[in-house]
Amino acid sequence: MSTLSPTPRSTLTRKKDRAATDRERLYEVLDGGLICHLGLVLHGSPVVLPTGYGREGDTLYFHGSTGAGNLREAARGIDVCVTVTLLDGLVYARSLNNHSMNYRSAVVHGTARLVTGEEKMHGLRAVTEHLTPGSWDHARAVNAKELASVSVLALDLSEASVKIRSGEPIEEPEDLDSHDIWAGVVPVRTTLGEPVPAPYLPADAPVPAHVLDRKLS
Amino acid sequence: MSTLSPTPRSTLTRKKDRAATDRERLYEVLDGGLICHLGLVLHGSPVVLPTGYGREGDTLYFHGSTGAGNLREAARGIDVCVTVTLLDGLVYARSLNNHSMNYRSAVVHGTARLVTGEEKMHGLRAVTEHLTPGSWDHARAVNAKELASVSVLALDLSEASVKIRSGEPIEEPEDLDSHDIWAGVVPVRTTLGEPVPAPYLPADAPVPAHVLDRKLS
């Protein structure tokens, strides 16, 4: 929230610019991840669990079984922390101390709320379309019994931060000429393999476009 | 802790077998991940941050700047939860409700302790060799000033659980003949790209074997 600019007008502009940029980056990280790590406090201790999610505008949606203790707690309106991390590279520097990782991470704090009615179906769609885009229209819809067995939670993206490390290693001046030590980045990527049809599918069943064309951003 | 076996002898054997299997799986997940998500409670609220780590036997090590608030808190002996997740596949089922993910995750609960002296260097080595094996012997060693600027924490693997979902989708009996809906798994893999040398390296600097041969388990 600090600014180097002394005038109210430029302050406003700078803040607006930064907010827009940060928000785009936040969306980029959240939309680029496949799973999040959901943290909450249970009986005084932290619990961190991998969870599916989906974003719609400035809301994150999660779902889970109504029997899952962690989501039941979150539904009561307790604080949660949701973190999505995209690992981009292993950073080798001349010194061990400057070894690092290239990554983009988003951390969202807030109070999750249980959603019902129309928004519940909305949230389920967001979660489904995040992980398996196209499935919502292709697969068999959720029936009443299934809908009752699942909890959907929503979390506002109002309190969120993004952290990014990218590019080459940082070196101490004393290490810059140590050419016998390698320095650089080994890129890390998440990729999708060839779809593996379930054994009960007819042998000639075509793989639909929404599965074949699934891309990671 | 439950068993179907009625005799003390077979009970013991079964439990031992299971413990051994679970421990191997725990090691497999922890050793296969690149980063963990470290959760702790700060001012009553959960915080989840991506963190580097390394395992040695039944101890996990982490490191961070002595200025990092989350590690400073953990060093005071508060509860932490460390989760490592390996995502293996997107699971497409006939029904939306049976869409899922294939994954292996390890969740470790415990109280982190700050390590000093010989074990601190030991822990740094474990963290370095986890992410960038071979760097410990290749790169410039940690000097006294650098050592003072970093905190190393240790966490016992005594309270840990592993969760695994693998294989084909699960279907409701009513969906098994819906052959117009595709079902199967799209594998998800983490891969390493070609090493990118830092721009200050001599053009003819060879990429050392420990970087070229870096493999993900």
Side-chain angles (χ1 to χ4, degrees):
Chain A
M1 301 301 280
S2 66
T3 173
L4 297 173
S5 168
T7 74
R9 190 186 175 109
S10 59
T11 301
L12 190 66
T13 309
R14 284 182 57 94
K15 278 190 181 168
K16 266 184 166 168
D17 285 357
R18 170 170 289 200
T21 306
D22 289 354
R23 201 129 284 261
E24 285 309 308
R25 284 187 170 174
L26 175 66
Y27 294 162
E28 186 188 303
V29 174
L30 294 176
D31 296 351
L34 290 169
I35 57 157
C36 68
H37 281 82
L38 169 70
L40 69 167
V41 184
L42 268 183
H43 312 301
S45 292
V47 179
V48 178
L49 295 170
T51 307
Y53 70 97
R55 181 182 73 86
E56 193 162 306
D58 283 320
T59 306
L60 272 193
Y61 290 101
F62 315 85
H63 73 356
S65 158
T66 48
N70 61 317
L71 284 185
R72 213 163 47 213
E73 280 293 317
R76 285 157 57 182
I78 63 168
D79 284 348
V80 298
C81 177
V82 172
T83 300
V84 173
T85 306
L86 310 177
L87 191 57
D88 294 325
L90 312 175
V91 180
Y92 293 74
R94 255 74 187 261
S95 66
L96 289 172
N97 199 54
N98 282 324
H99 273 55
S100 187
M101 286 177 274
N102 281 339
Y103 68 98
R104 291 163 286 157
S105 70
V107 177
V108 186
H109 293 273
T111 304
R113 64 186 165 83
L114 192 67
V115 298
T116 53
E118 216 171 285
E119 193 185 2
K120 184 172 181 178
M121 201 57 101
H122 209 70
L124 280 181
R125 184 186 176 120
V127 175
T128 299
E129 292 294 291
H130 179 85
L131 202 66
T132 53
S135 277
W136 191 261
D137 291 329
H138 178 78
R140 200 248 304 149
V142 180
N143 64 33
K145 190 184 151 202
E146 290 166 346
L147 189 61
S149 74
V150 71
S151 296
V152 177
L153 295 168
L155 177 66
D156 279 349
L157 292 180
S158 44
E159 196 185 337
S161 61
V162 175
K163 210 168 158 187
I164 296 174
R165 197 234 179 266
S166 62
E168 60 190 71
I170 291 167
E171 303 285 5
E172 306 306 322
E174 70 197 80
D175 297 319
L176 268 177
D177 292 328
S178 304
H179 293 317
D180 51 329
I181 305 176
W182 193 79
V185 176
V186 173
V188 177
R189 294 190 192 97
T190 302
T191 58
L192 299 178
E194 290 292 309
V196 180
Y200 46 83
L201 248 67
D204 59 350
V207 183
H210 74 280
V211 177
L212 262 184
D213 300 344
R214 176 78 174 93
K215 294 271 181 298
L216 299 178
S217 57
Chain B
M1 300 302 281
S2 67
T3 172
L4 298 173
S5 168
T7 74
R9 190 184 176 111
S10 59
T11 301
L12 189 67
T13 308
R14 284 182 60 95
K15 278 189 182 168
K16 265 184 166 170
D17 284 358
R18 172 171 286 202
T21 305
D22 289 354
R23 200 129 284 259
E24 285 310 308
R25 285 187 170 172
L26 175 67
Y27 294 162
E28 186 188 302
V29 174
L30 293 176
D31 296 351
L34 291 168
I35 58 157
C36 68
H37 280 82
L38 170 69
L40 68 167
V41 184
L42 268 184
H43 312 302
S45 291
V47 179
V48 179
L49 294 170
T51 306
Y53 70 97
R55 181 182 72 86
E56 193 162 306
D58 282 320
T59 306
L60 272 193
Y61 289 101
F62 316 85
H63 74 356
S65 160
T66 47
N70 61 315
L71 284 186
R72 215 162 46 213
E73 280 294 319
R76 283 158 57 184
I78 63 169
D79 284 349
V80 298
C81 176
V82 172
T83 301
V84 173
T85 307
L86 310 176
L87 190 57
D88 294 324
L90 312 176
V91 180
Y92 294 74
R94 254 74 187 260
S95 66
L96 289 172
N97 198 55
N98 282 324
H99 273 56
S100 187
M101 287 177 273
N102 281 339
Y103 68 98
R104 291 163 288 157
S105 70
V107 177
V108 185
H109 294 274
T111 304
R113 65 186 165 83
L114 192 66
V115 298
T116 53
E118 216 171 285
E119 193 184 3
K120 184 172 181 179
M121 202 56 101
H122 209 70
L124 280 181
R125 184 187 175 118
V127 175
T128 299
E129 290 295 291
H130 179 84
L131 202 66
T132 53
S135 278
W136 191 261
D137 291 330
H138 178 79
R140 200 249 302 148
V142 180
N143 64 33
K145 190 184 151 201
E146 290 166 346
L147 189 61
S149 73
V150 70
S151 296
V152 177
L153 296 169
L155 177 66
D156 279 349
L157 292 180
S158 45
E159 196 184 338
S161 62
V162 175
K163 211 169 157 185
I164 297 174
R165 196 234 180 267
S166 63
E168 60 189 73
I170 292 168
E171 303 285 4
E172 306 305 322
E174 70 196 81
D175 297 320
L176 268 178
D177 292 327
S178 303
H179 292 316
D180 52 328
I181 305 175
W182 193 79
V185 175
V186 173
V188 177
R189 294 191 192 97
T190 302
T191 59
L192 300 178
E194 290 292 309
V196 180
Y200 46 83
L201 248 67
D204 59 350
V207 183
H210 73 279
V211 176
L212 261 185
D213 300 343
R214 175 79 173 94
K215 294 271 182 298
L216 298 178
S217 57

